[in-house]
């Protein structure tokens, strides 16, 4: 038999070992396969477009939250404020919301959906914010915008969750752990924290966002009329990424949200300061950066007063998230007598023109539906189609509530006149109630803003119904899919 | 001349097994006018020279190509007889020839007989040992080497297998009988007399060390193999007639468990679901109600070392298959690592053989005769009577009553006029298909080849349904001294169409008093259905439209292999394979289809065209090094392998609608997308694996078998990329123990085996381990594009681990009785499923390795040869049986799966059962309500609540498990009979003890809406008036469907006659004059009958059919 000589053997061994080493070192690369129809997280954050697309993706996720079919815009948040009429059948969800009974399984599941959707936006924020750390592909200014907006959206969603599932701010249990403030991406359960700690985190994120955005946000130097465009008309900004700041979490929008947060936590001084800054913002030419809407806007079919939008969420079409449902008239109604006598005190107010009387919805009476969203169709090319998340009028209302009474009356007068409504000065005793009522008048069908005003003030009744309220009814139950056995 | 030659004693090695064949088959004597041959050559290899003279003659030459090619000859032969020419060529060489009929055998010359020196010197006397050597079928074996272990001389058996040899008297000798292609027999003998007789039966097979189990990666020595495997030979496959290979395998081995699909019946285009040793995966939450589970439990199919799809196996020509090995336990499949847990089916296609050019052609017919014996429908009069009894012709409103009276008269009139339409016959036909196969093979010296083309046309029993396959194959191999190069190229074209007549079931529901066609012979569009505002559309109306559904694909596969004997005992094999499959499907619904009449769709949206294109490409590189060595009683085999595989899949689907003209059926005639833009499904999976295996056997008695595979795949999470899989097996051949071979010599084999091992399966989508973003191209935000997170990846994602133990026993008695038994215990861990996430994670689930499934069971195969073929009695008759049983238990489930199932546990569906998975139960458990029968007073169905209360209200009732749908025993029986050229084979199937919901009783008797035609049992067995004791609820009354309950679940006992095959090989003497070497005629019949205690309609979407096949084949 032919035997290999040992030297030869050794050589072969070395060759084999070398070969295997070579194989093993390159095989990990070979074994990493990138999908083609979707993009892996790792690949996503290797380009500038990846980062900016992930940021824009946050707005797309947010559109789900404000889908006309869902909780915020689809009715429940307004039923809870008793703004809409409902049948009084015990099996109808709207009536259960109306009477603040959240125990049915369908309500549990729709609350679960909303809860999930907010946290889904947050999860998307966190992946992006984590990827921003130590990244080198995005230039500094743009990076500040991306991270700033992502932080702001994260804080905004948490704040919304707190307004829905948190306590009435004057009725906080200091030791209770209300909700998790999520800043990481994990599969293990997130820690629930106290109200105080939670609010602090919202504040921190908003402040951090302001710091990042302040230096780079084009809205500081340019007017909205310059920025709201589909052309890159400003030579400094060659990408549309920098435009249409009113539909993004711009620096002033974040500051306005901070004002809202201060007011929510009862910090009236800071709320006043922040709101005042926004109201007084001026463009370089001296004109106001944001202006109150007037009757002429309604005449021009701008039913949501785009000039007031501090942060708006763009939507291409009101129906695009609902499917075939012709929801652009937001088929939610209240009776004419309710609106005219209870809400607008039998006075003229241009906001009454925002109701469409053509509705003949049957509750045994003549009814009105809102037409705020009627210009959200594919053929309304010039409509901004922006769902306001925070508007200038809210800043006015904050000032009216928090300013010294004389100054408050100045703002109240400006505000009332913009609404073509009569003005009679407020007193310390009437102002809170008037402000509360203005929230309902102003933000009818705007994602539960009036409910939040009622909740913040722990109102014991609503203007449009005789339903009695208590603090616990303002606090939504955590959905069972969240509590499960996994908390 | 013949006589003279016969006297010459055969002594030395004859080089070919074929010799035997020649002797047996040729009795023809003398030929007139023989052809003369000429050859002039210089330094030509002898084998080439012999081939050249062979071609000029009518003779067939048998010789060893490799051996004779070493000799170079220089001759000049002119017009000589073939015998003289061959003699001239062999001149001076150590070879001689023998002529027998038309065959000339060239074999090594008798070596000078070695004189037993001992005998001459000592003169102590000799013992002469005489005997006869036969093979297992009692045929004498000429040319067998007979020798003594301790003496270097020997003898050879003569034409009749007789031998005589002498040895010094008094010693104890060990005799060796060896013959190419046979197992060497070692027989001890005491030489204590003048004469001894020793007859020997030699068994087929190469010498034991060379006998292998083909595992697709290594060819492991069979003797020391400790795994559970079923080896199916070409002959066994042939005996099943012209079926698709998957069906054939399940007809042979019951543990190759082809799942019954009652909906699809004999649809030639259905995908077949197969499980080997049970299910080990259940799929994700969204898939619980779909049949994806079946796809996830498919075994791995390996064709010539490369993975192929089950569809491709179904479409290949089973005549091209040399053997199939079904690897079942971990010891057998661990070498497939993360792909092996569901079992591996290793298919070897035919290899090119040495010999003259052989041309074979076969042709035949496939018939599909619809079998409607399971249907029992009402005729016109019965139907009208039942309708009347059910109160369908009565109404409280007078005007409606008048209409109903008119309708009653109309129906009765039709019935009286003899209208009793057998709707089921209309969409059916006797499907007539044909097949042809043309095959050329041969080889000279180093070069061998096979070329074949086959066409198989399957024409389904429903009009318009078909599946045509055209396959071409080219295999060439080239041999050099130590290197063998071979290449296989195969191309397959598949073309399939589904019936335009829609689902079969709808015909069975049409009322018999309806006329299908009007006076002009045009299908009636619709019929009035009592008081319903919607008419019933005639399925024949839709069939007459331009709708279609068809698919096709082209598959190209090329495999290149290099085998090298680098060192003695060391073999290296390197191979590279490449497969590409391109295909697609077209589905068109005519705008005139009744669906659009029902829903009054906008005219511009009518008609639908869905076009899919699929592309698959895959390559594999594999290198194997084998080393085998025998050291005395120890034999060792070591193999290592490295494999790299990449598989890419891409399918794009486009769906459009809006066809204005039903004759314009091209996709371009649509006016808009249906739904959204085209969608793509894409995946790329890469994997590599290092495998090592070692087999050790001691004295062919004790065996040890171990394998290890280190696998890595792109679909594993980045945190757990490498996965180890391994197995260890031990075996003990009791028959080789001395005490057995001495006292229990009738035991030829009694091998005990045990194996333990870990294998895996990759039953998840390749990108589950990744967190992915999707760009939302439909929506822009401020003219900017956005991307959102699509799924929550799990970088820790692992393969599923299956730990398997197998105990096996192989017995062979007297070469007549064989038994193979395996008992297994399989535990699948790390079951991949959806893990539940609380809502604050933003996503509700992600993929995690949670859950456990346990499968236990046995399989048993026995066979017995009742009569054995012998020269005086040319009959061979054997019987066989196989049994298989599997039990599975869901040991642990993920919370997400449990939660998803809880939703199902309270829901009911009147049409059938709902899949559910509960811990502690089988995967195939049937969950139904409990029923107390029918209330004789009201005719309503009564259910039993958890606390024993009887109620008619099902809400809140929880379903209970009533047993698994898997049979307790899945059996196969068969018998094979051979008499001269006549071969017969019959196979039967048996399924005992599985639970089954009788869906015909459920949907077509109990819940039968008698507005449609239903099972005849409706007439007699439904409740009609108070006091009736019946099994089924009230005939009349409002629709309140009953839900599946325990009274509709039966224990199934089914007996089937799966296949009968008869073929006849014409005797050589008849066909020789046509230049043929083989000619046969065959007829087979598939799916002949089905007898079951459960009387229910079979093949509800597509009928079952009986499948006769007729074959003619010949070889030149």
């Amino acid at each position: 038999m032919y035997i290999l000589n040992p030297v030869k053997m050794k050589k072969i061994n070395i060759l084999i070992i070398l070969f295997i080493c070579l194989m093993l070192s390159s095989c990990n690369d070979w074994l990493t396969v990138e999908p083609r129809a979707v993009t892996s997280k790792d690949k996503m954050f290797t380009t500038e477009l990846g980062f900016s697309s992930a940021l824009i993706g946050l707005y797309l996720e947010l559109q789900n939250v404000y889908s006309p079919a869902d909780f915020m815009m689809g009715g429940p948040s307004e039923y809870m404020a008793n703004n809409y009429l409902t049948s009084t059948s015990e099996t109808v969800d709207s009536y259960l919301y109306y009477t603040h009974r959240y125990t049915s399984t369908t309500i549990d599941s729709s609350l679960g959906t909303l809860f999930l959707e907010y946290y889904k936006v947050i999860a998307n924020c966190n992946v992006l914010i984590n990827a921003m750390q130590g990244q080198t592909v995005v230039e500094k200014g743009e990076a500040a915008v991306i991270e700033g907006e992502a932080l702001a959206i994260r804080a905004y969603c948490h704040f919304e969750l707190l307004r829905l599932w948190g306590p009435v701010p004057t009725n906080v249990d200091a030791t209770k752990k209300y909700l998790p403030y999520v800043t990481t991406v994990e599969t293990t359960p997130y820690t629930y924290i106290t109200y105080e700690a939670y609010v602090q985190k919202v504040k921190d994120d908003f402040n951090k966002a302001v710091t990042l955005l302040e230096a780079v946000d084009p809205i500081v130097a340019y007017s909205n009329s310059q920025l709201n465009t589909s052309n890159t008309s400003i030579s400094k900004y060659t990408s549309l990424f920098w435009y249409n700041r009113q539909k993004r979490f711009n620096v002033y929008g974040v500051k306005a949200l901070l004002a809202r947060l201060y007011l929510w936590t009862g910090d009236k001084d800071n709320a006043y300061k922040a709101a005042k800054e926004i109201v007084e913002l001026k463009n370089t030419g001296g004109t106001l950066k944001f202006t109150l809407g007037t009757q002429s806007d309604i005449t021009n079919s701008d039913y949501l007063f785009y000039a007031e939008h501090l942060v708006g969420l763009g939507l291409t079409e009101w129906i695009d998230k609902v499917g075939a449902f012709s929801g652009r008239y937001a088929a939610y109604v209240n009776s004419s007598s309710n609106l005219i006598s209870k809400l607008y005190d039998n006075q003229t107010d241009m906001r009454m023109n925002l109701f469409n009387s053509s509705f003949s919805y049957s509750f045994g009476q003549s009814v009105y539906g809102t037409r705020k969203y009627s210009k959200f169709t594919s053929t309304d090319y010039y409509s901004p189609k922006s769902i306001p998340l925070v508007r200038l009028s809210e800043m006015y209302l904050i000032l009216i509530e928090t300013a010294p009474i004389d100054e408050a009356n100045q703002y109240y007068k400006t505000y009332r006149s913009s609404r073509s409504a009569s003005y009679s000065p407020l007193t310390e005793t009437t102002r809170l109630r008037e402000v509360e009522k203005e929230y309902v008048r102003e933000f009818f069908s705007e994602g539960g803003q009036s409910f939040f005003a009622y909740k913040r003030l722990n109102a014991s009744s609503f203007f449009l119904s005789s339903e009695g309220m208590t603090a616990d009814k303002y606090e939504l139950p955590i959905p069972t899919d969240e509590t499960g056995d996994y908390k | 001349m013949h006589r003279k030659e016969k006297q010459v004693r055969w002594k030395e090695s004859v080089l070919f097994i074929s010799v035997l064949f020649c002797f047996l088959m040729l009795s023809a004597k003398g030929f007139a006018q023989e052809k003369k041959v000429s050859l002039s050559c210089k330094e030509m290899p002898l084998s080439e020279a012999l081939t050249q003279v062979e071609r000029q003659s009518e003779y067939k030459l048998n010789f060893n190509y490799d051996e004779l090619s070493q000799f170079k000859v220089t001759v000049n032969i002119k017009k000589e007889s073939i015998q003289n020419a061959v003699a001239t060529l062999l001149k001076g060489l150590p070879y001689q020839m023998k002529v027998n009929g038309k065959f000339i055998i060239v074999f090594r010359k008798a070596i000078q007989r070695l004189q037993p020196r001992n005998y001459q010197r000592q003169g102590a006397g000799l013992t002469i040992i005489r005997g006869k050597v036969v093979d297992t079928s009692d045929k004498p074996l000429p040319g067998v080497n007979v020798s003594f272990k301790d003496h270097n001389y020997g003898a050879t058996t003569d034409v009749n297998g007789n031998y005589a040899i002498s040895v010094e008297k008094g010693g104890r000798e060990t005799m060796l009988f060896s013959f190419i292609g046979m197992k060497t027999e070692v027989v001890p003998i005491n030489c204590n007399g003048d004469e001894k007789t020793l007859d020997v039966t030699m068994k087929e097979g190469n010498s034991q060390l060379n006998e292998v189990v083909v595992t697709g990666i290594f060819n492991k020595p069979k003797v020391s193999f400790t795994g559970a495997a079923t080896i199916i030979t070409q002959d066994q496959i042939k005996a099943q007639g012209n079926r698709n290979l998957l069906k054939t395998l399940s007809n042979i081995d019951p543990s190759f468990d082809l799942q019954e699909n009652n909906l699809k019946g004999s649809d030639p285009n259905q995908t077949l679901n197969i499980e080997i040793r049970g299910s080990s995966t259940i799929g994700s939450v969204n898939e619980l109600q779909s049949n994806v589970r079946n796809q996830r439990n498919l075994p791995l199919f390996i064709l010539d070392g490369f993975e192929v799809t089950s569809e491709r196996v179904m479409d290949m020509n089973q005549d091209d298959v040399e053997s199939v090995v079904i690897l079942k336990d971990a010891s057998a499949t661990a070498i497939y690592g993360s792909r092996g847990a569901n079992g591996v089916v290793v298919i070897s296609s035919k290899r090119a053989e040495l010999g003259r050019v052989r041309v074979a052609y076969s042709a035949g017919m496939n018939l599909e005769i619809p079998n409607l014996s399971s249907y029992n429908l009402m005729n016109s009069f019965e139907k009208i009577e039942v309708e009347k009894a059910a109160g369908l012709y009565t109404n409280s409103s007078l005007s409606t009553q008048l209409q109903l009276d008119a309708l009653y008269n109309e129906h009765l009139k039709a019935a009286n006029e003899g209208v009793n339409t057998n709707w089921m016959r209309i969409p059916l036909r006797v499907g007539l298909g044909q097949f042809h196969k043309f095959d050329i093979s041969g080889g000279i010296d180093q070069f061998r080849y096979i070329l074949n083309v086959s066409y198989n046309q399957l024409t389904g029993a429903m009009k318009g349904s078909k599946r045509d396959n055209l396959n071409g194959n080219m295999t060439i191999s080239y041999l050099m001294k130590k290197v063998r190069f071979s290449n296989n190229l195969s191309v397959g074209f598949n073309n399939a169409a589904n019936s335009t007549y829609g689902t079969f079931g709808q015909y069975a529901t049409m009322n018999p008093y309806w006329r299908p066609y009007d006076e002009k012979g045009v299908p009636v569009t619709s019929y009035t259905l009592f008081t319903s505002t919607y008419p019933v559309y005639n399925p024949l109306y839709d069939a007459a439209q331009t709708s279609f559904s068809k698919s096709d694909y082209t598959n190209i596969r090329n495999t290149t292999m290099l085998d090298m004997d680098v060192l003695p005992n060391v073999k290296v094999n390197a191979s590279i394979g490449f497969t590409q499959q391109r295909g697609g499907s077209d589905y068109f619904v005519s705008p005139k289809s009744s669906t659009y009449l029902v829903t009054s769709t906008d005219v511009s949206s009518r008609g639908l065209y869905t076009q899919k294109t699929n592309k698959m490409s895959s390559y594999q590189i594999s290198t194997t090094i084998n080393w085998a060595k025998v050291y005395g009683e120890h034999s060792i085999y070591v193999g290592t392998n490295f494999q790299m595989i990449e598989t890419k899949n891409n399918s794009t689907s486009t769906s459009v609608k809006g066809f204005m003209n039903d004759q314009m059926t091209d996709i371009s005639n649509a006016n808009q997308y249906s739904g959204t833009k085209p969608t793509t499904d894409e995946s790329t999976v890469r994997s590599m694996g290092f495998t090592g295996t070692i087999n050790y056997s001691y004295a062919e008695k004790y065996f040890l078998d171990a394998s290890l595979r280190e696998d890595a795949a792109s679909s594993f999470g980045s945190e757990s990329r490498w996965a180890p899989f391994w197995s260890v097996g031990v075996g003990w051949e009791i028959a080789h123990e001395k005490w057995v071979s001495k006292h229990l010599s009738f035991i030829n084999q009694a091998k005990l085996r045990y194996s333990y091992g870990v294998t895996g399966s990759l039953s998840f989508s390749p990108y589950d381990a990744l967190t992915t973003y999707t760009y939302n191209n439909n929506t822009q935000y401020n003219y900017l594009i956005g991307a959102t997170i699509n799924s929550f990846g799990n970088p820790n994602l692992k393969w599923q681990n299956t730990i398997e133990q197998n105990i096996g026993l192989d017995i062979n008695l007297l070469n007549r009785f064989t038994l193979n038994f395996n008992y297994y215990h399989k535990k699948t861990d790390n079951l991949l499923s959806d893990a539940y996430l609380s809502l604050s994670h933003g996503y509700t689930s992600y993929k995690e390795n949670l859950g456990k499934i346990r499968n236990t069971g046995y399989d048993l195969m026995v066979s017995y040869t009742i009569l054995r073929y012998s020269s005086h009695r040319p009959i061979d008759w054997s019987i066989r049986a196989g049994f298989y049983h599997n039990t599975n238990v869901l040991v642990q489930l993920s919370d997400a799966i449990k939660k998803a199932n809880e939703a199902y546990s309270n829901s009911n569906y009147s049409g059938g059962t709902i899949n559910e998975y509960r811990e502690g139960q089988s995967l195939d458990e049937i969950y139904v309500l409990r029923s107390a029968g029918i209330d004789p007073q009201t005719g309503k169905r009564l259910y039993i609540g958890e606390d024993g209360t009887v109620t008619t209200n099902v809400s809140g009732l929880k379903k209970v498990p009533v047993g698994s749908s898997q049979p307790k025993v899945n059996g196969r029986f068969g018998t094979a009979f051979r008499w001269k050229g006549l071969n017969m084979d019959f196979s039967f199937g048996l399924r005992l003890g599985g639970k089954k919901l009788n869906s015909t009783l459920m949907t077509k008797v109990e819940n039968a809406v008698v507005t449609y035609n239903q099972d005849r049992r409706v007439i007699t067995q439904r409740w009609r008036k108070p006091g009736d004791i019946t099994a089924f609820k009230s005939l009349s009354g409002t629709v309140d469907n009953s839900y599946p309950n325990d009274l509709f679940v039966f224990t199934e006992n089914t007996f089937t006659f799966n296949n009968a095959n008869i073929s006849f090989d014409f005797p050589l003497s008849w066909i020789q004059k046509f230049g043929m070497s083989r000619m046969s005629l065959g007829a087979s019949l598939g799916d002949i009958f089905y007898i079951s205690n459960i009387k229910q309609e079979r093949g509800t979407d597509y009928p079952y059919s009986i499948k006769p096949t007729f074959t003619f084949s010949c070889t030149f």
Side-chain angles (χ1 to χ4, degrees), chain A residues 2 27-28 30-32 35-36 39 41 44 53 57 119-120 124 186 188 190 230 247 314 481-482 486, chain B residues 567 682 686 688 714 721 767 771-773 775 781-783 786-789 836 839-843 895 899:
Chain A
Y2 153 64
C27 72
N28 251 326
W30 185 74
L31 287 170
T32 308
R36 279 181 294 162
T39 312
K41 188 182 82 182
M44 185 77 190
S53 300
Y119 275 108
K120 194 172 184 183
N124 276 267
E186 279 157 53
T188 49
Y190 295 120
S230 58
K247 287 191 203 170
D481 279 346
E482 167 68 9
Y486 309 97
Chain B
L567 295 169
E682 172 272 337
R686 290 184 182 146
M688 61 167 75
S714 62
R721 198 128 262 179
Y767 305 134
T771 296
T772 53
Y773 270 92
Y775 276 95
Y781 192 82
N782 293 341
Y783 318 102
T788 54
I789 295 174
Y836 183 80
L839 300 178
S840 51
H841 289 88
Y843 292 82
D895 292 316
K899 189 173 178 305

Side-chain angles (χ1 to χ4, degrees), chain A residues 1-2 4 23-24 27-41 44-45 49-50 52-54 56-57 59-61 63 112 115-116 119-120 123-124 127-128 180 182 185-190 229-230 240-241 243-244 247-248 312-314 316 479 481-482 486, chain B residues 566-569 619 625 629 642 644-646 648-650 680-688 690 712-715 721-722 767 770-776 779-790 792-793 836-844 846 848 895-896 899:
Chain A
M1 207 191 87
Y2 153 64
L4 272 175
M23 291 298 312
L24 286 177
C27 72
N28 251 326
D29 289 341
W30 185 74
L31 287 170
T32 308
V33 174
E34 278 296 330
R36 279 181 294 162
V38 291
T39 312
S40 78
K41 188 182 82 182
M44 185 77 190
F45 298 118
L49 182 66
S52 66
S53 300
I56 299 306
Y59 292 93
L60 299 182
E61 283 293 356
Q63 286 179 341
F115 195 87
L116 175 73
Y119 275 108
K120 194 172 184 183
N124 276 267
V127 172
L128 175 59
V182 182
V185 184
E186 279 157 53
T187 53
T188 49
Y190 295 120
T229 170
S230 58
L240 276 169
F241 178 80
Y243 292 81
N244 298 296
K247 287 191 203 170
R248 301 265 289 273
L313 181 69
T316 17
D481 279 346
E482 167 68 9
Y486 309 97
Chain B
V566 273
L567 295 169
N569 307 320
Y619 69 81
I625 303 171
K629 185 100 174 86
F642 169 69
M644 272 167 89
I645 306 168
E646 181 187 278
K648 281 185 182 181
N649 270 297
N650 190 313
T680 295
D681 208 353
E682 172 272 337
S683 73
T684 301
V685 180
R686 290 184 182 146
S687 67
M688 61 167 75
F690 293 94
S714 62
S715 37
R721 198 128 262 179
W722 288 89
Y767 305 134
L770 298 174
T771 296
T772 53
Y773 270 92
T774 306
Y775 276 95
N776 191 333
T779 323
Q780 292 173 358
Y781 192 82
N782 293 341
Y783 318 102
L784 299 170
I785 187 169
T788 54
I789 295 174
N790 193 32
F792 227 57
Y836 183 80
L837 284 172
S838 56
L839 300 178
S840 51
H841 289 88
Y843 292 82
T844 49
Y846 71 109
E848 183 59 286
D895 292 316
K899 189 173 178 305

Side-chain angles (χ1 to χ4, degrees), chain B residues 340-401:
Chain B
N342 294 330
V344 184
V345 179
V346 181
I347 303 162
S348 310
S349 56
K350 274 186 195 161
R351 289 208 156 190
E353 275 170 39
L354 195 66
R356 245 167 57 130
V357 179
R358 208 173 59 98
V359 178
Y361 170 72
S362 60
M365 259 187 330
N366 295 317
L367 265 65
E368 300 255 351
I369 305 170
N371 178 357
L372 299 179
S373 58
S374 64
Y375 284 85
N376 185 20
L377 301 178
M378 289 182 273
N379 64 32
S380 293
F381 287 109
E382 287 167 338
K383 182 68 213 305
I384 294 166
E385 193 275 322
V386 165
E387 286 168 357
K388 204 167 158 59
L392 290 178
Y393 293 112
T394 26
N395 196 287
S396 53
S397 141
L398 185 64
S399 60
T400 316
Q401 184 60 52

Side-chain angles (χ1 to χ4, degrees), chain B residues 383-396 400-401 403-405 407-408 411 511 513 529-532 1008-1014 1035-1039:
Chain B
K383 182 68 213 305
I384 294 166
E385 193 275 322
V386 165
E387 286 168 357
K388 204 167 158 59
L392 290 178
Y393 293 112
T394 26
N395 196 287
S396 53
T400 316
Q401 184 60 52
Q403 282 171 22
L404 288 174
D405 286 344
L407 197 65
Y408 176 72
H411 292 163
N511 284 320
Y513 48 70
L529 198 68
F530 301 93
T531 51
S532 167
V1009 183
V1010 289
T1011 49
Y1012 293 98
N1013 201 8
Q1014 303 292 5
L1035 182 60
S1036 60
T1038 51
V1039 179

Side-chain angles (χ1 to χ4, degrees), chain B residues 405-419:
Chain B
D405 286 344
L407 197 65
Y408 176 72
N409 290 331
E410 187 191 312
H411 292 163
L412 201 63
K413 180 167 172 271
N416 280 324
E417 284 170 5
V419 180

Side-chain angles (χ1 to χ4, degrees), chain B residues 35 73 182 255 309 373 579 1065:
Chain B
K35 281 186 185 163
V73 289
M182 293 282 179
S255 65
T309 61
S373 58
T579 307
D1065 278 329

